[in-house]
Coordinates of all heavy atoms in Angstrom, one line a residue:
E28 N -56.8 227.4 189.4 CA -58.2 227.9 189.4 C -58.7 228.0 190.8 O -58.4 227.1 191.6 CB -59.0 226.9 188.6 CG -60.5 227.2 188.5 CD -61.3 226.1 187.9 OE1 -60.7 225.4 187.0 OE2 -62.5 226.0 188.2
K29 N -59.4 229.0 191.1 CA -60.1 229.2 192.4 C -61.5 229.8 192.2 O -61.6 230.9 191.7 CB -59.3 230.2 193.3 CG -59.9 230.5 194.6 CD -59.1 231.5 195.4 CE -59.7 231.8 196.7 NZ -59.0 232.9 197.4
N30 N -62.5 229.0 192.5 CA -63.9 229.4 192.4 C -64.2 229.9 190.9 O -64.8 230.9 190.7 CB -64.2 230.5 193.4 CG -64.1 230.0 194.8 OD1 -64.3 228.8 195.1 ND2 -63.7 230.9 195.7
G31 N -63.6 229.2 189.9 CA -63.9 229.5 188.5 C -63.0 230.6 188.0 O -63.1 231.0 186.8
I32 N -62.2 231.2 188.8 CA -61.3 232.3 188.4 C -59.9 231.7 188.3 O -59.4 231.0 189.2 CB -61.3 233.5 189.4 CG1 -62.7 234.0 189.4 CG2 -60.3 234.5 189.0 CD1 -62.9 235.1 190.5
G33 N -59.2 232.0 187.2 CA -57.8 231.5 187.0 C -56.7 232.4 187.3 O -56.9 233.6 187.4
G34 N -55.5 231.9 187.5 CA -54.3 232.7 187.7 C -53.1 231.8 187.4 O -53.2 230.7 187.0
V35 N -52.0 232.4 187.7 CA -50.7 231.6 187.5 C -49.8 231.8 188.7 O -49.9 232.8 189.4 CB -50.0 232.1 186.2 CG1 -50.7 231.7 185.0 CG2 -49.7 233.5 186.2
G36 N -48.9 230.8 188.9 CA -47.9 230.9 189.9 C -48.2 230.0 191.1 O -49.2 230.1 191.8
V37 N -47.2 229.1 191.4 CA -47.2 228.3 192.6 C -45.8 228.4 193.1 O -44.9 228.4 192.4 CB -47.6 226.8 192.2 CG1 -47.6 226.0 193.4 CG2 -48.9 226.7 191.5
F38 N -45.7 228.4 194.4 CA -44.5 228.8 195.0 C -43.9 227.7 196.0 O -44.6 226.9 196.5 CB -44.7 230.1 195.8 CG -45.2 231.1 194.9 CD1 -46.5 231.5 194.9 CD2 -44.4 231.7 193.9 CE1 -47.1 232.4 194.0 CE2 -44.9 232.7 193.0 CZ -46.2 233.0 193.1
N39 N -42.6 227.7 196.1 CA -41.9 226.8 197.0 C -42.5 226.8 198.4 O -42.7 227.8 199.0 CB -40.4 227.3 197.1 CG -39.5 226.4 197.9 OD1 -39.8 225.2 197.9 ND2 -38.5 226.9 198.4
G40 N -42.8 225.6 198.8 CA -43.4 225.4 200.2 C -44.9 225.2 200.2 O -45.4 224.9 201.2
D41 N -45.5 225.5 199.0 CA -47.0 225.3 199.0 C -47.3 223.8 199.2 O -46.7 223.0 198.5 CB -47.6 225.8 197.7 CG -47.7 227.3 197.6 OD1 -47.5 228.0 198.6 OD2 -47.9 227.8 196.5
I42 N -48.2 223.5 200.0 CA -48.6 222.1 200.4 C -50.0 221.8 200.0 O -50.9 222.7 200.2 CB -48.4 221.8 201.8 CG1 -46.9 222.0 202.2 CG2 -48.9 220.4 202.2 CD1 -46.6 221.9 203.7
G43 N -50.2 220.7 199.4 CA -51.6 220.3 199.0 C -51.8 218.8 198.9 O -50.9 218.1 199.4
R44 N -52.9 218.4 198.4 CA -53.2 217.0 198.3 C -53.6 216.6 196.8 O -54.2 217.4 196.2 CB -54.4 216.6 199.2 CG -54.0 216.7 200.7 CD -54.7 215.7 201.5 NE -54.4 215.8 202.9 CZ -53.5 215.0 203.5 NH1 -53.0 214.0 202.8 NH2 -53.2 215.2 204.7
I45 N -53.2 215.4 196.4 CA -53.6 215.0 195.1 C -55.1 214.6 195.1 O -55.5 213.8 196.0 CB -52.8 213.7 194.7 CG1 -51.3 214.1 194.5 CG2 -53.3 213.1 193.4 CD1 -50.4 213.0 194.3
T46 N -55.9 215.2 194.2 CA -57.3 215.0 194.2 C -57.8 214.2 193.0 O -58.9 213.7 192.9 CB -58.1 216.3 194.2 OG1 -57.7 217.1 193.1 CG2 -57.9 217.1 195.5
E47 N -56.9 214.1 191.9 CA -57.2 213.3 190.8 C -55.9 212.9 190.1 O -55.0 213.6 190.0 CB -58.0 214.2 189.8 CG -58.5 213.5 188.5 CD -59.3 214.4 187.6 OE1 -60.1 215.1 188.1 OE2 -59.0 214.3 186.4
I48 N -55.9 211.7 189.5 CA -54.8 211.2 188.7 C -55.4 210.7 187.4 O -56.3 209.8 187.4 CB -54.1 210.0 189.4 CG1 -53.4 210.5 190.7 CG2 -53.0 209.4 188.5 CD1 -52.8 209.4 191.6
N49 N -55.0 211.3 186.3 CA -55.5 210.9 185.0 C -54.4 210.3 184.2 O -53.5 211.0 183.7 CB -56.1 212.1 184.3 CG -56.8 211.7 183.0 OD1 -56.4 210.8 182.3 ND2 -57.9 212.4 182.7
T50 N -54.4 208.9 184.1 CA -53.3 208.3 183.4 C -53.4 208.4 181.9 O -52.4 208.2 181.2 CB -53.2 206.8 183.8 OG1 -54.5 206.2 183.5 CG2 -52.8 206.6 185.2
Y51 N -54.6 208.7 181.4 CA -54.8 208.9 179.9 C -54.1 210.2 179.5 O -53.4 210.2 178.5 CB -56.2 208.9 179.6 CG -56.5 209.1 178.1 CD1 -56.2 208.1 177.2 CD2 -57.0 210.3 177.6 CE1 -56.4 208.3 175.8 CE2 -57.2 210.6 176.3 CZ -56.9 209.6 175.4 OH -57.1 209.8 174.1
T52 N -54.4 211.3 180.2 CA -53.8 212.6 179.8 C -52.5 212.9 180.5 O -51.9 213.9 180.2 CB -54.8 213.8 180.2 OG1 -55.0 213.8 181.6 CG2 -56.1 213.7 179.4
E53 N -52.0 211.9 181.3 CA -50.8 212.0 182.1 C -50.7 213.3 182.9 O -49.7 214.0 182.9 CB -49.6 212.0 181.1 CG -49.4 210.7 180.4 CD -48.9 209.6 181.4 OE1 -47.8 209.8 182.0 OE2 -49.5 208.5 181.5
T54 N -51.8 213.6 183.6 CA -51.9 214.8 184.5 C -52.4 214.4 185.9 O -53.0 213.3 186.1 CB -52.9 215.8 184.0 OG1 -54.2 215.3 183.9 CG2 -52.4 216.4 182.6
I55 N -52.0 215.2 186.9 CA -52.6 215.1 188.2 C -53.2 216.4 188.6 O -52.8 217.5 188.1 CB -51.6 214.7 189.3 CG1 -50.5 215.7 189.4 CG2 -51.0 213.3 189.0 CD1 -49.5 215.5 190.6
E56 N -54.3 216.3 189.4 CA -54.9 217.5 189.9 C -54.5 217.6 191.4 O -54.6 216.6 192.1 CB -56.4 217.5 189.8 CG -57.1 218.7 190.3 CD -58.6 218.7 190.1 OE1 -59.0 218.9 188.9 OE2 -59.3 218.4 191.1
V57 N -54.1 218.8 191.8 CA -53.6 219.0 193.2 C -54.4 220.2 193.8 O -54.5 221.2 193.1 CB -52.1 219.3 193.3 CG1 -51.7 219.6 194.7 CG2 -51.3 218.1 192.8
Q58 N -54.9 220.0 195.0 CA -55.6 221.1 195.7 C -54.7 221.6 196.7 O -54.2 220.9 197.6 CB -56.9 220.5 196.4 CG -57.7 221.5 197.1 CD -58.7 222.1 196.1 OE1 -59.2 221.5 195.2 NE2 -59.1 223.3 196.4
I59 N -54.3 222.9 196.5 CA -53.4 223.6 197.4 C -54.2 224.8 198.0 O -54.6 225.7 197.3 CB -52.2 224.2 196.7 CG1 -51.3 223.0 196.2 CG2 -51.4 225.1 197.7 CD1 -50.0 223.5 195.5
K60 N -54.5 224.7 199.3 CA -55.4 225.6 200.0 C -56.7 225.6 199.2 O -57.4 224.6 199.1 CB -54.8 227.0 200.1 CG -53.5 226.9 201.0 CD -52.9 228.3 201.1 CE -51.5 228.2 201.7 NZ -50.8 229.4 201.7
Y61 N -57.0 226.7 198.6 CA -58.3 226.8 197.8 C -58.0 226.8 196.3 O -58.9 227.1 195.5 CB -59.1 228.1 198.2 CG -59.4 228.1 199.7 CD1 -58.8 228.9 200.6 CD2 -60.4 227.2 200.2 CE1 -59.1 228.8 201.9 CE2 -60.7 227.2 201.5 CZ -60.1 228.0 202.4 OH -60.4 227.9 203.7
L62 N -56.8 226.5 195.9 CA -56.4 226.5 194.5 C -56.4 225.1 194.0 O -56.0 224.2 194.6 CB -55.0 227.1 194.3 CG -54.7 228.5 194.9 CD1 -53.3 228.9 194.7 CD2 -55.7 229.5 194.4
R63 N -56.9 225.0 192.7 CA -56.9 223.7 192.0 C -55.9 223.7 190.9 O -56.0 224.6 190.0 CB -58.3 223.3 191.6 CG -58.3 221.9 191.0 CD -59.7 221.6 190.6 NE -60.6 222.7 190.4 CZ -61.9 222.7 190.7 NH1 -62.5 221.7 191.2 NH2 -62.6 223.8 190.5
L64 N -54.9 222.9 190.9 CA -53.8 222.9 189.8 C -53.9 221.6 189.0 O -54.2 220.5 189.5 CB -52.4 222.9 190.5 CG -52.2 223.9 191.6 CD1 -50.9 223.5 192.3 CD2 -52.1 225.3 191.0
H65 N -53.6 221.7 187.7 CA -53.5 220.5 186.9 C -52.0 220.5 186.4 O -51.5 221.5 185.8 CB -54.4 220.7 185.6 CG -55.8 220.6 186.0 ND1 -56.5 219.4 186.0 CD2 -56.7 221.5 186.4 CE1 -57.8 219.6 186.4 NE2 -57.9 220.9 186.7
M66 N -51.3 219.4 186.7 CA -49.9 219.3 186.4 C -49.6 218.1 185.5 O -50.3 217.0 185.7 CB -49.1 219.2 187.6 CG -49.2 220.5 188.5 SD -48.0 220.4 189.8 CE -49.1 220.0 191.2
L67 N -48.7 218.2 184.6 CA -48.3 217.0 183.8 C -47.3 216.2 184.6 O -46.5 216.7 185.4 CB -47.6 217.5 182.5 CG -48.4 218.3 181.5 CD1 -47.5 218.8 180.4 CD2 -49.5 217.4 180.9
F68 N -47.3 214.9 184.3 CA -46.3 214.0 184.9 C -45.0 214.2 184.2 O -45.0 214.4 183.0 CB -46.7 212.5 184.7 CG -48.0 212.0 185.3 CD1 -48.8 211.2 184.6 CD2 -48.3 212.4 186.6 CE1 -50.0 210.7 185.1 CE2 -49.5 211.9 187.1 CZ -50.3 211.1 186.4

Side-chain angles (χ1 to χ4, degrees):
E28 177 186 335
K29 176 182 177 183
N30 299 326
I32 300 171
V35 292
V37 181
F38 305 102
N39 184 28
D41 285 346
I42 297 173
R44 293 211 180 259
I45 296 174
T46 56
E47 182 181 318
I48 298 173
N49 187 322
T50 56
Y51 179 74
T52 61
E53 293 287 306
T54 59
I55 60 173
E56 181 178 283
V57 176
Q58 185 87 30
I59 295 179
K60 299 177 188 171
Y61 300 106
L62 306 178
R63 186 175 21 213
L64 313 166
H65 293 269
M66 296 187 257
L67 296 172
F68 297 138

